[in-house]
Amino acid sequence: MVPAMFETKPSGYSIAYALSLIVSISVTILYVIGQADLEFMRIFSNIAFAPVALAPVVVALETSRRYGWEFKSKLGFIWLTFLIGLFLWFLGEFVWAIYVLGFKIDVPYPSLADVFYLLGYPAFIYGLITYFMGFRPALSLKTAKPGLFIAAVVIVLTTVFLYGPIITSSEGTATISLDLLYITLDLIILIFSAEAFILTLSYHSLVGGGLWKAWLFLALGAILNTGADLLFSYLTLLGVYYEGHPSELLYLWAYVAYCLAFYIHGKE
């Protein structure tokens, strides 16, 4: 039996879907066209990231307000941790842009921006795991198998193609440590998001509702963000990353996906 906190009701999200699609297509077009002018991309990418990263913060703020700010409220506390994590990631994007546009430091890595990025992970992961544990009554080996398979494949591929090359690279200790830390934290978010999505999808098949959509976009956001970090680590390892690189689209799409996930969950 699934806890009452996961009961859902149907509603429409046409405007939210349309806005998300417009934003995603618009930034994609600008990134493709902008590759002809890398100075434009350097400026545009650093201007665009902060407002796009702020969008899920605003949505999560409204969702947290709806569930209540009381620490006694389980969902209220969970969404507060999501909000804190997203806000810290936004600060990371904002500080990164200051380094690039204000101090003229391209690819400020490692930097103060990483402090905010990393501080956001514990809050987000804590909320994710706490929320996931609410599915314990519905958890079984059968429902967990797809998520465990995904986790195993991702971990093996990451270990073979990224962990090894990073550890043996000529990069400084700080850079190598950050690369490994980011990848590990992203994998934690990815694994729990995918597992929770599979469980909510099973729940949907039993009782209906749209909660699975929220977890679909949350899992999608985690996949995109993890892919973006993996690519960033790999490209910086090769020395070919630059401000405005097309791989940054994965980060922007991840923020859009998170925005949709939190919006849908707040409405369900």
Side-chain angles (χ1 to χ4, degrees):
M1 185 176 185
V2 178
M5 62 181 278
F6 298 111
E7 291 181 0
T8 60
K9 58 182 179 180
S11 57
Y13 309 102
S14 299
I15 295 178
Y17 289 143
L19 286 175
S20 299
L21 189 61
I22 290 171
V23 170
S24 299
I25 292 176
S26 297
V27 296
T28 300
I29 291 173
L30 285 168
Y31 261 81
V32 172
I33 296 175
Q35 296 305 308
D37 186 347
L38 295 184
E39 178 59 21
F40 164 77
M41 286 308 307
R42 187 183 74 86
I43 296 173
F44 168 73
S45 64
N46 284 282
I47 291 176
F49 259 81
V52 174
L54 183 61
V57 175
V58 174
V59 176
L61 178 65
E62 173 59 23
T63 304
S64 296
R65 185 196 64 79
R66 182 170 301 160
Y67 284 125
W69 301 102
E70 304 86 358
F71 286 97
K72 293 182 294 184
S73 166
K74 187 173 183 179
L75 270 180
F77 182 70
I78 288 172
W79 282 96
L80 182 59
T81 61
F82 282 146
L83 173 60
I84 292 171
L86 287 166
F87 180 67
L88 287 167
W89 287 346
F90 158 72
L91 289 179
E93 303 292 2
F94 186 72
V95 172
W96 179 289
I98 291 176
Y99 271 106
V100 177
L101 300 178
F103 300 140
K104 309 300 181 183
I105 301 174
D106 284 340
V107 194
Y109 179 75
S111 70
L112 179 61
D114 294 293
V115 174
F116 292 108
Y117 289 137
L118 291 174
L119 285 175
Y121 277 95
F124 199 92
I125 290 173
Y126 178 82
L128 187 62
I129 293 176
T130 304
Y131 194 103
F132 173 79
M133 293 306 291
F135 286 99
R136 280 182 300 176
L139 187 62
S140 66
L141 182 59
K142 182 178 179 180
T143 54
K145 276 183 178 179
L148 293 174
F149 175 75
I150 293 172
V153 171
V154 171
I155 290 172
V156 169
L157 291 176
T158 303
T159 301
V160 172
F161 293 104
L162 207 52
Y163 274 121
I166 287 175
I167 292 173
T168 58
S169 73
S170 59
E171 296 286 347
T173 302
T175 301
I176 292 175
S177 300
L178 276 177
D179 283 342
L180 296 176
L181 185 55
Y182 274 122
I183 293 169
T184 302
L185 292 172
D186 282 325
L187 287 178
I188 293 173
I189 290 180
L190 175 62
I191 290 167
F192 277 97
S193 297
E195 195 68 75
F197 166 63
I198 291 169
L199 287 172
T200 47
L201 194 59
S202 299
Y203 174 53
H204 167 73
S205 66
L206 294 174
V207 299
L211 189 62
W212 68 275
K213 297 176 185 177
W215 278 97
L216 168 62
F217 286 109
L218 189 63
L220 178 60
I223 292 170
L224 290 169
N225 196 67
T226 300
D229 276 343
L230 294 177
L231 265 178
F232 176 80
S233 297
Y234 183 69
L235 293 172
T236 52
L237 193 64
L238 295 178
V240 297
Y241 175 80
Y242 56 86
E243 295 291 334
H245 193 280
S247 63
E248 294 175 358
L249 281 169
L250 297 180
Y251 285 118
L252 295 170
W253 293 338
Y255 283 127
V256 173
Y258 282 139
C259 194
L260 268 177
F262 302 136
Y263 174 79
I264 293 171
H265 199 291
K267 294 292 185 182
E268 287 297 330

